[in-house]
Amino acid sequence: SATIMPVRSASGRNGCTVAFASDAARFTAKGTKSPARASATCSAMVRASARERAMSSCAPVHEAVSARVSTSLLAYAVWQALPANAVRARVRSTGWLAAASMVLNAAWLLVTQQGWIWASVVVIAALALVLGTLVQRLTREPATSTWDLVLLDGTFGLYLGWVAVATCANITAALVDSGFDLGATGNQVAAVTVLAVAAGLGVVFAHRLGGRWAVAAAMAWGLAWIAVGRLGGEPRSVATGIAAVVAVVVVLAGALRWHMRRTGTAAAV
């Protein structure tokens, strides 16, 4: 199937087709008496393999962006606790949303480790909603200092961009786990559709949130990893890889266009 996110090779910890074929061969070699039982067990192994690949598919994006987000969140936590900042309206209006996002992120990690994939979809969707609300509030109340811009706008912009791509991947993983299969061509069409939705979100974010480069950069990074995985990894899908590259361009162009329009408006005034 045309999984949209990068997956590990068959020789890795979460190997796909080769690992499953090896397990199935060993299972068959033991001489199972019931074909129906063998078929059911093999089907369960396929679903488990698909779930493991899908749930680990965010790993390259998560490892690259999560470290930066975690460091920024730590710096934000220290900064917002300072007496001079704790009383500021901008910090107070977003503080509880920031705390909620951290709780939801911990909950998402917990449910994914347990393999509760549809529960993880609900959690990450809630996380995306909380972060979207937070960043929208920051847009209504512009930053008044460099620290404000970096530790509030930058941190949660990156966070939102990563979660937006991860949400699309998480939904795809849940569908794979549920046995969603449209065939080779249909799966590629579905993957391209998901990427188109992600690109559309990037354009909406640029329009509604003021062309934030942090959001666009995080989304572009995640989408670029999808392109790398599908063009150079397995399962290979040129159509999905090209669609991911186009999505990267669309997301960055959306942010650039917002800034160009604002510059043009300011010049006209």
Side-chain angles (χ1 to χ4, degrees):
S1 62
T3 307
I4 68 168
M5 297 295 289
V7 297
R8 303 186 181 201
S9 66
S11 60
R13 184 182 63 182
N14 293 314
C16 50
T17 307
V18 173
F20 168 70
S22 176
D23 289 337
R26 288 196 298 271
F27 177 80
T28 304
K30 292 181 180 179
T32 303
K33 294 182 179 180
S34 170
R37 187 188 307 169
S39 176
T41 304
C42 287
S43 296
M45 291 168 68
V46 170
R47 289 194 297 272
S49 176
R51 179 175 62 246
E52 289 176 1
R53 284 183 287 140
M55 293 309 293
S56 66
S57 64
C58 292
V61 182
H62 184 277
E63 292 169 4
V65 180
S66 181
R68 291 167 175 76
V69 172
S70 297
T71 301
S72 298
L73 284 173
L74 178 60
Y76 158 79
V78 173
W79 175 80
Q80 63 86 33
L82 296 175
N85 297 321
V87 297
R88 296 175 57 200
R90 198 169 192 252
V91 174
R92 291 172 63 87
S93 68
T94 57
W96 71 273
L97 290 168
S101 73
M102 297 177 196
V103 171
L104 287 168
N105 187 56
W108 182 77
L109 291 173
L110 175 63
V111 296
T112 53
Q113 288 172 0
Q114 295 298 318
W116 302 337
I117 192 165
W118 278 109
S120 72
V121 170
V122 174
V123 173
I124 202 169
L127 176 56
L129 180 61
V130 167
L131 289 172
T133 302
L134 190 158
V135 176
Q136 190 169 39
R137 289 193 178 188
L138 294 178
T139 303
R140 292 201 302 262
E141 303 172 24
T144 57
S145 71
T146 301
W147 286 110
D148 203 356
L149 185 65
V150 172
L151 295 179
L152 254 179
D153 298 71
T155 294
F156 291 100
L158 283 175
Y159 202 177
L160 175 60
W162 170 73
V163 168
V165 176
T167 300
C168 294
N170 211 156
I171 293 172
T172 302
L175 292 173
V176 170
D177 184 61
S178 300
F180 182 79
D181 190 356
L182 298 175
T185 302
N187 286 341
Q188 290 197 31
V189 171
V192 171
T193 300
V194 171
L195 290 167
V197 170
L201 280 175
V203 173
V204 171
F205 287 157
H207 178 70
R208 297 290 298 274
L209 303 177
R212 292 177 177 272
W213 286 115
V215 177
M219 292 192 71
W221 181 259
L223 292 166
W225 265 110
I226 296 173
V228 170
R230 298 289 58 79
L231 293 174
E234 293 295 336
R236 183 178 174 83
S237 172
V238 175
T240 305
I242 292 175
V245 172
V246 172
V248 170
V249 174
V250 169
V251 169
L252 294 176
L256 178 62
R257 184 171 183 270
W258 186 90
H259 286 281
M260 291 179 66
R261 290 181 61 185
R262 189 178 73 163
T263 301
T265 301
V269 173

